[in-house]
Amino acid sequence: MAILGLLKEQELHGYELKKRLAEMLGFASGVSFGSLYPALARLEAAGAVEAAASGARKGRARKVYRVTARGEELFEELLAAENASSDDDRTFNLRLAFARYLPPDARLGMLERRRAHLVERLIQARSRVKAVRDGYARSLVEHSREAAEHDLSWIERLIASERAAAAPPSLTDGPSLSTFRPYQEENT
Amino acid sequence: MAILGLLKEQELHGYELKKRLAEMLGFASGVSFGSLYPALARLEAAGAVEAAASGARKGRARKVYRVTARGEELFEELLAAENASSDDDRTFNLRLAFARYLPPDARLGMLERRRAHLVERLIQARSRVKAVRDGYARSLVEHSREAAEHDLSWIERLIASERAAAAPPSLTDGPSLSTFRPYQEENT
DNA sequence: TAAAGCATGTAAGAGGTTACATGATTGG
DNA sequence: CCAATCATGTAACCTCTTACATGCTTTA
């Protein structure tokens, strides 16, 4: 999905693609060549990308890839997928980076699913905070609870601004906004 | 390492181990049986763990594992390892959870390496914030910068309390404390 | 001209996931 | 007694990483 998304914006060859992926995924990532080239080969075999005219170099010329119509379809599919694998952080971040390609409702759905996931995570983190008395593990669970709270409020801000952007014509139409309620703990 | 660390505290069989691992690693984890049992078999083959007397069940009795002397050694090695793979979040969290088994200086070293890693991450995040103008990607990099700041200050608090605990006898011995300086940005 | 970086690719090996297979035990 | 849960394992498959192989291009 990352490859297709990047190629969608601009034709690129593998080496350049690797650099873009590294800065896009930021820390904790960057694919290796042994992962990237086979992936490109698979995508080409599947007809999702094609190599444009190779530069006028001798020997192993660099292959500039471009997304095909089939590739666009595949990208939409991957981006819109509501499967369970979209639950992990890495996948969500990647999806959000390409969220502009999603229709507004699908985008909102993605954010809400993420929010639900984070609420669960927060609940879990809180129960672990109660369970672990002290030591490094305690510090760890407290920090992960704070991180979860932080993530959650971030997502809620995103959702709010998304809704605001989705329904700008009228300033007094309650229904579309009334569905969303920020997470509030019941027992404090 | 996680398996050895848990078994070090208490003899357990695979199924129970899986549950403990799931709650220990919290969200974003929990090993599958297809991963756990082969891992246990590898550890047993390596002489790091051994099966205690199996419960009095017929058929496939459950195997209660216990750490051997060799296993203790292996655990120490894995825990103390200063290799590059200790840079990722998952590994660090796992290590911190078992940090009580490390000698104070190694523990401090681990925290400092983590801090250095987070400082780098923060610098990277800040440069990306400058690079990305707007859209979802912008929101993403801003959030990851905030997360990095949060993580960093958490680690610095941990380091501070570690140092405070390491040198309690004298209240005025500068040297051991003077080495550490919280991260402050130079250009704001 | 030698080193560093650009550029593409393959091979071996490790480890993980899902799905399958098997059987015991407990609770409604 | 039937379903769920406990409990252990195997097999097929997939993808990643590391290390290797190859050769061009730029720069000190």
Side-chain angles (χ1 to χ4, degrees):
Chain A
M1 178 166 66
I3 291 174
L4 291 174
L6 284 178
L7 290 184
K8 200 176 155 74
E9 287 159 33
Q10 188 185 355
E11 301 185 353
L12 293 169
H13 57 273
Y15 199 89
E16 184 63 29
L17 208 39
K18 183 183 190 290
K19 287 193 291 187
R20 305 275 178 114
L21 284 172
E23 73 182 49
M24 166 170 216
L25 306 177
F27 55 90
S29 255
V31 286
S32 63
F33 288 124
S35 178
L36 178 63
Y37 286 117
L40 277 171
R42 283 195 299 274
L43 284 172
E44 191 174 20
V49 302
E50 60 186 7
S54 52
R57 315 288 179 67
K58 286 109 199 159
R60 279 196 212 189
R62 53 188 189 176
K63 293 166 77 173
V64 178
Y65 289 99
R66 155 200 319 151
V67 181
T68 65
R70 174 78 197 95
E72 298 273 359
E73 276 173 48
L74 180 57
F75 178 71
E76 301 296 332
E77 266 172 56
L78 292 170
L79 189 57
E82 295 181 23
N83 57 46
S85 87
S86 67
D87 268 7
D88 75 292
D89 297 16
R90 254 165 86 42
T91 309
F92 172 77
N93 287 347
L94 190 53
R95 250 180 210 154
L96 185 61
F98 291 125
R100 65 179 175 287
Y101 294 122
L102 278 174
D105 56 326
R107 207 150 57 203
L108 203 49
M110 180 183 93
L111 292 173
E112 303 254 27
R113 277 198 307 284
R114 179 63 177 178
R115 176 171 162 268
H117 180 72
L118 289 176
V119 165
E120 244 184 275
R121 181 183 291 190
L122 181 53
I123 290 169
Q124 232 187 295
R126 286 198 172 131
S127 82
R128 285 218 305 287
V129 166
K130 280 179 196 160
V132 182
R133 286 278 173 269
D134 42 36
Y136 296 98
R138 169 77 185 187
S139 184
L140 204 48
V141 293
E142 273 173 1
H143 179 245
S144 81
R145 186 205 52 203
E146 280 163 32
E149 278 164 359
H150 194 219
D151 284 5
L152 183 56
S153 83
W154 171 60
I155 282 287
E156 293 189 337
R157 284 197 304 277
L158 270 185
I159 290 177
S161 79
E162 191 74 24
R163 285 197 196 278
S170 148
L171 285 170
T172 47
D173 56 341
S176 69
L177 276 155
S178 66
T179 326
F180 175 70
R181 298 194 168 278
Y183 177 73
Q184 291 295 333
E185 49 194 314
E186 284 108 39
N187 51 344
T188 312
Chain B
M1 179 168 64
I3 291 174
L4 291 173
L6 284 178
L7 290 185
K8 199 177 159 74
E9 288 159 34
Q10 189 186 353
E11 300 185 350
L12 293 169
H13 56 273
Y15 199 87
E16 183 63 28
L17 208 40
K18 183 183 189 290
K19 285 192 291 187
R20 305 274 179 115
L21 283 171
E23 73 183 48
M24 165 170 216
L25 306 176
F27 55 89
S29 255
V31 285
S32 63
F33 288 122
S35 179
L36 177 61
Y37 286 117
L40 276 171
R42 281 195 300 274
L43 284 172
E44 192 175 19
V49 302
E50 61 187 6
S54 52
R57 315 289 180 69
K58 288 107 198 162
R60 280 195 210 188
R62 52 189 189 175
K63 295 167 77 173
V64 178
Y65 288 99
R66 154 201 319 152
V67 181
T68 65
R70 173 78 197 96
E72 298 273 0
E73 277 173 48
L74 181 56
F75 178 71
E76 301 297 332
E77 266 173 56
L78 291 170
L79 189 57
E82 295 180 22
N83 56 47
S85 87
S86 67
D87 268 5
D88 75 290
D89 297 16
R90 256 164 86 40
T91 309
F92 173 77
N93 287 347
L94 190 52
R95 245 174 217 164
L96 185 61
F98 291 124
R100 66 178 175 286
Y101 294 121
L102 278 175
D105 55 324
R107 205 150 57 203
L108 204 48
M110 180 183 93
L111 292 174
E112 303 253 28
R113 277 199 307 284
R114 179 62 177 178
R115 176 172 163 268
H117 180 73
L118 289 176
V119 166
E120 243 185 275
R121 181 185 290 192
L122 181 53
I123 290 168
Q124 231 186 298
R126 285 196 173 131
S127 82
R128 285 220 304 288
V129 167
K130 280 180 195 158
V132 181
R133 287 277 172 270
D134 43 35
Y136 297 97
R138 168 77 186 190
S139 183
L140 205 48
V141 293
E142 274 174 0
H143 179 246
S144 80
R145 186 204 53 202
E146 281 163 32
E149 280 165 357
H150 194 222
D151 285 5
L152 183 56
S153 82
W154 170 61
I155 282 288
E156 294 190 336
R157 284 196 306 275
L158 270 184
I159 290 177
S161 77
E162 193 73 25
R163 287 198 194 275
S170 148
L171 284 170
T172 48
D173 56 343
S176 70
L177 276 156
S178 67
T179 327
F180 175 69
R181 299 193 167 278
Y183 176 74
Q184 292 293 337
E185 47 193 316
E186 284 109 38
N187 51 345
T188 311

mmCIF file of all heavy atoms in Angstrom, chain B residues 152-179:
data_model
loop_
_atom_site.group_PDB
_atom_site.id
_atom_site.type_symbol
_atom_site.label_atom_id
_atom_site.label_comp_id
_atom_site.label_asym_id
_atom_site.label_seq_id
_atom_site.Cartn_x
_atom_site.Cartn_y
_atom_site.Cartn_z
ATOM 1 N N LEU B 152 10.365 10.980 25.801
ATOM 2 C CA LEU B 152 11.669 11.456 26.250
ATOM 3 C C LEU B 152 11.620 11.956 27.686
ATOM 4 O O LEU B 152 12.469 11.614 28.504
ATOM 5 C CB LEU B 152 12.164 12.560 25.313
ATOM 6 C CG LEU B 152 13.556 13.110 25.599
ATOM 7 C CD1 LEU B 152 14.590 12.006 25.612
ATOM 8 C CD2 LEU B 152 13.929 14.182 24.581
ATOM 9 N N SER B 153 10.615 12.749 28.003
ATOM 10 C CA SER B 153 10.583 13.291 29.361
ATOM 11 C C SER B 153 10.302 12.178 30.370
ATOM 12 O O SER B 153 10.784 12.215 31.496
ATOM 13 C CB SER B 153 9.571 14.436 29.464
ATOM 14 O OG SER B 153 8.274 13.940 29.635
ATOM 15 N N TRP B 154 9.579 11.184 29.942
ATOM 16 C CA TRP B 154 9.335 10.037 30.812
ATOM 17 C C TRP B 154 10.655 9.329 31.137
ATOM 18 O O TRP B 154 10.972 9.073 32.294
ATOM 19 C CB TRP B 154 8.355 9.061 30.143
ATOM 20 C CG TRP B 154 8.204 7.742 30.839
ATOM 21 C CD1 TRP B 154 7.759 7.533 32.105
ATOM 22 C CD2 TRP B 154 8.510 6.453 30.306
ATOM 23 N NE1 TRP B 154 7.758 6.187 32.390
ATOM 24 C CE2 TRP B 154 8.213 5.505 31.305
ATOM 25 C CE3 TRP B 154 8.986 5.996 29.066
ATOM 26 C CZ2 TRP B 154 8.385 4.136 31.121
ATOM 27 C CZ3 TRP B 154 9.160 4.644 28.874
ATOM 28 C CH2 TRP B 154 8.866 3.723 29.888
ATOM 29 N N ILE B 155 11.425 9.077 30.087
ATOM 30 C CA ILE B 155 12.721 8.409 30.266
ATOM 31 C C ILE B 155 13.629 9.246 31.147
ATOM 32 O O ILE B 155 14.348 8.718 32.000
ATOM 33 C CB ILE B 155 13.399 8.169 28.896
ATOM 34 C CG1 ILE B 155 12.784 6.971 28.200
ATOM 35 C CG2 ILE B 155 14.900 7.938 29.056
ATOM 36 C CD1 ILE B 155 13.151 5.644 28.813
ATOM 37 N N GLU B 156 13.576 10.540 30.963
ATOM 38 C CA GLU B 156 14.449 11.394 31.771
ATOM 39 C C GLU B 156 14.038 11.368 33.239
ATOM 40 O O GLU B 156 14.900 11.409 34.122
ATOM 41 C CB GLU B 156 14.457 12.818 31.195
ATOM 42 C CG GLU B 156 15.101 12.828 29.812
ATOM 43 C CD GLU B 156 15.380 14.218 29.254
ATOM 44 O OE1 GLU B 156 14.715 15.181 29.671
ATOM 45 O OE2 GLU B 156 16.266 14.325 28.387
ATOM 46 N N ARG B 157 12.763 11.260 33.496
ATOM 47 C CA ARG B 157 12.319 11.131 34.881
ATOM 48 C C ARG B 157 12.808 9.798 35.456
ATOM 49 O O ARG B 157 13.255 9.724 36.601
ATOM 50 C CB ARG B 157 10.796 11.213 34.977
ATOM 51 C CG ARG B 157 10.243 12.632 34.823
ATOM 52 C CD ARG B 157 8.791 12.739 35.297
ATOM 53 N NE ARG B 157 7.886 11.787 34.672
ATOM 54 C CZ ARG B 157 7.268 11.963 33.499
ATOM 55 N NH1 ARG B 157 7.471 13.076 32.799
ATOM 56 N NH2 ARG B 157 6.454 11.058 33.028
ATOM 57 N N LEU B 158 12.730 8.757 34.628
ATOM 58 C CA LEU B 158 13.208 7.445 35.069
ATOM 59 C C LEU B 158 14.687 7.487 35.406
ATOM 60 O O LEU B 158 15.132 6.954 36.427
ATOM 61 C CB LEU B 158 12.981 6.390 33.983
ATOM 62 C CG LEU B 158 11.666 5.620 33.981
ATOM 63 C CD1 LEU B 158 11.692 4.552 32.893
ATOM 64 C CD2 LEU B 158 11.428 4.975 35.330
ATOM 65 N N ILE B 159 15.448 8.126 34.529
ATOM 66 C CA ILE B 159 16.896 8.224 34.746
ATOM 67 C C ILE B 159 17.192 8.990 36.030
ATOM 68 O O ILE B 159 18.020 8.571 36.842
ATOM 69 C CB ILE B 159 17.584 8.906 33.539
ATOM 70 C CG1 ILE B 159 17.555 7.974 32.322
ATOM 71 C CG2 ILE B 159 19.023 9.268 33.877
ATOM 72 C CD1 ILE B 159 18.128 8.570 31.056
ATOM 73 N N ALA B 160 16.475 10.073 36.217
ATOM 74 C CA ALA B 160 16.684 10.888 37.414
ATOM 75 C C ALA B 160 16.410 10.081 38.679
ATOM 76 O O ALA B 160 17.200 10.108 39.626
ATOM 77 C CB ALA B 160 15.788 12.120 37.367
ATOM 78 N N SER B 161 15.327 9.357 38.699
ATOM 79 C CA SER B 161 15.007 8.613 39.919
ATOM 80 C C SER B 161 15.967 7.443 40.094
ATOM 81 O O SER B 161 16.264 7.030 41.216
ATOM 82 C CB SER B 161 13.554 8.130 39.892
ATOM 83 O OG SER B 161 13.401 7.013 39.057
ATOM 84 N N GLU B 162 16.470 6.952 38.975
ATOM 85 C CA GLU B 162 17.473 5.886 39.038
ATOM 86 C C GLU B 162 18.750 6.397 39.687
ATOM 87 O O GLU B 162 19.344 5.745 40.540
ATOM 88 C CB GLU B 162 17.766 5.405 37.609
ATOM 89 C CG GLU B 162 18.546 4.112 37.522
ATOM 90 C CD GLU B 162 17.695 2.919 37.889
ATOM 91 O OE1 GLU B 162 16.452 3.000 37.744
ATOM 92 O OE2 GLU B 162 18.265 1.918 38.334
ATOM 93 N N ARG B 163 19.150 7.571 39.279
ATOM 94 C CA ARG B 163 20.369 8.167 39.845
ATOM 95 C C ARG B 163 20.172 8.519 41.320
ATOM 96 O O ARG B 163 21.069 8.354 42.133
ATOM 97 C CB ARG B 163 20.741 9.437 39.084
ATOM 98 C CG ARG B 163 21.310 9.159 37.722
ATOM 99 C CD ARG B 163 22.055 10.385 37.223
ATOM 100 N NE ARG B 163 22.318 10.275 35.807
ATOM 101 C CZ ARG B 163 23.365 9.647 35.287
ATOM 102 N NH1 ARG B 163 24.237 9.069 36.078
ATOM 103 N NH2 ARG B 163 23.531 9.591 33.984
ATOM 104 N N ALA B 164 19.015 8.993 41.622
ATOM 105 C CA ALA B 164 18.716 9.340 43.009
ATOM 106 C C ALA B 164 18.793 8.097 43.890
ATOM 107 O O ALA B 164 19.304 8.137 45.006
ATOM 108 C CB ALA B 164 17.334 9.962 43.103
ATOM 109 N N ALA B 165 18.324 6.986 43.370
ATOM 110 C CA ALA B 165 18.345 5.749 44.130
ATOM 111 C C ALA B 165 19.743 5.151 44.195
ATOM 112 O O ALA B 165 20.110 4.501 45.171
ATOM 113 C CB ALA B 165 17.386 4.734 43.504
ATOM 114 N N ALA B 166 20.528 5.404 43.157
ATOM 115 C CA ALA B 166 21.873 4.825 43.075
ATOM 116 C C ALA B 166 22.840 5.486 44.048
ATOM 117 O O ALA B 166 23.737 4.848 44.586
ATOM 118 C CB ALA B 166 22.406 4.935 41.664
ATOM 119 N N ALA B 167 22.651 6.796 44.265
ATOM 120 C CA ALA B 167 23.583 7.524 45.129
ATOM 121 C C ALA B 167 22.872 8.233 46.275
ATOM 122 O O ALA B 167 22.844 9.449 46.345
ATOM 123 C CB ALA B 167 24.354 8.546 44.292
ATOM 124 N N PRO B 168 22.295 7.458 47.182
ATOM 125 C CA PRO B 168 21.559 8.105 48.278
ATOM 126 C C PRO B 168 22.429 8.504 49.467
ATOM 127 O O PRO B 168 22.107 9.450 50.154
ATOM 128 C CB PRO B 168 20.560 7.028 48.698
ATOM 129 C CG PRO B 168 21.160 5.727 48.235
ATOM 130 C CD PRO B 168 22.295 6.009 47.321
ATOM 131 N N PRO B 169 23.560 7.810 49.736
ATOM 132 C CA PRO B 169 24.350 8.123 50.937
ATOM 133 C C PRO B 169 24.684 9.590 51.085
ATOM 134 O O PRO B 169 24.347 10.194 52.107
ATOM 135 C CB PRO B 169 25.631 7.282 50.755
ATOM 136 C CG PRO B 169 25.527 6.618 49.435
ATOM 137 C CD PRO B 169 24.147 6.719 48.971
ATOM 138 N N SER B 170 25.328 10.168 50.072
ATOM 139 C CA SER B 170 25.696 11.574 50.170
ATOM 140 C C SER B 170 24.726 12.453 49.383
ATOM 141 O O SER B 170 24.283 12.092 48.300
ATOM 142 C CB SER B 170 27.111 11.771 49.628
ATOM 143 O OG SER B 170 27.237 13.034 49.042
ATOM 144 N N LEU B 171 24.412 13.606 49.916
ATOM 145 C CA LEU B 171 23.490 14.510 49.218
ATOM 146 C C LEU B 171 24.223 15.556 48.393
ATOM 147 O O LEU B 171 23.623 16.354 47.711
ATOM 148 C CB LEU B 171 22.578 15.207 50.234
ATOM 149 C CG LEU B 171 21.447 14.343 50.791
ATOM 150 C CD1 LEU B 171 20.767 15.047 51.949
ATOM 151 C CD2 LEU B 171 20.456 14.021 49.687
ATOM 152 N N THR B 172 25.555 15.543 48.490
ATOM 153 C CA THR B 172 26.302 16.600 47.817
ATOM 154 C C THR B 172 27.437 16.091 46.929
ATOM 155 O O THR B 172 28.392 16.782 46.687
ATOM 156 C CB THR B 172 26.895 17.573 48.857
ATOM 157 O OG1 THR B 172 27.538 16.800 49.878
ATOM 158 C CG2 THR B 172 25.821 18.456 49.446
ATOM 159 N N ASP B 173 27.317 14.850 46.445
ATOM 160 C CA ASP B 173 28.377 14.370 45.548
ATOM 161 C C ASP B 173 28.008 14.673 44.107
ATOM 162 O O ASP B 173 27.238 13.972 43.492
ATOM 163 C CB ASP B 173 28.653 12.886 45.753
ATOM 164 C CG ASP B 173 27.415 12.043 45.574
ATOM 165 O OD1 ASP B 173 26.286 12.623 45.609
ATOM 166 O OD2 ASP B 173 27.548 10.855 45.384
ATOM 167 N N GLY B 174 28.601 15.740 43.604
ATOM 168 C CA GLY B 174 28.283 16.213 42.270
ATOM 169 C C GLY B 174 28.537 15.240 41.142
ATOM 170 O O GLY B 174 27.611 14.908 40.406
ATOM 171 N N PRO B 175 29.740 14.721 40.974
ATOM 172 C CA PRO B 175 30.181 13.962 39.819
ATOM 173 C C PRO B 175 29.163 13.003 39.222
ATOM 174 O O PRO B 175 28.842 13.091 38.036
ATOM 175 C CB PRO B 175 31.399 13.197 40.330
ATOM 176 C CG PRO B 175 31.912 14.030 41.458
ATOM 177 C CD PRO B 175 30.775 14.850 41.980
ATOM 178 N N SER B 176 28.603 12.115 40.026
ATOM 179 C CA SER B 176 27.719 11.098 39.473
ATOM 180 C C SER B 176 26.460 11.704 38.863
ATOM 181 O O SER B 176 25.862 11.124 37.972
ATOM 182 C CB SER B 176 27.345 10.087 40.557
ATOM 183 O OG SER B 176 26.481 10.696 41.504
ATOM 184 N N LEU B 177 26.084 12.853 39.320
ATOM 185 C CA LEU B 177 24.877 13.479 38.780
ATOM 186 C C LEU B 177 25.165 14.438 37.631
ATOM 187 O O LEU B 177 24.332 14.634 36.763
ATOM 188 C CB LEU B 177 24.138 14.244 39.892
ATOM 189 C CG LEU B 177 23.214 13.402 40.762
ATOM 190 C CD1 LEU B 177 23.030 14.060 42.105
ATOM 191 C CD2 LEU B 177 21.878 13.210 40.071
ATOM 192 N N SER B 178 26.368 14.971 37.644
ATOM 193 C CA SER B 178 26.678 16.011 36.657
ATOM 194 C C SER B 178 26.740 15.491 35.216
ATOM 195 O O SER B 178 26.711 16.249 34.273
ATOM 196 C CB SER B 178 28.002 16.687 37.007
ATOM 197 O OG SER B 178 29.053 15.759 36.850
ATOM 198 N N THR B 179 26.837 14.194 35.073
ATOM 199 C CA THR B 179 26.944 13.614 33.736
ATOM 200 C C THR B 179 25.660 13.812 32.926
ATOM 201 O O THR B 179 25.680 13.947 31.706
ATOM 202 C CB THR B 179 27.198 12.100 33.820
ATOM 203 O OG1 THR B 179 27.980 11.837 34.968
ATOM 204 C CG2 THR B 179 27.876 11.592 32.572
#
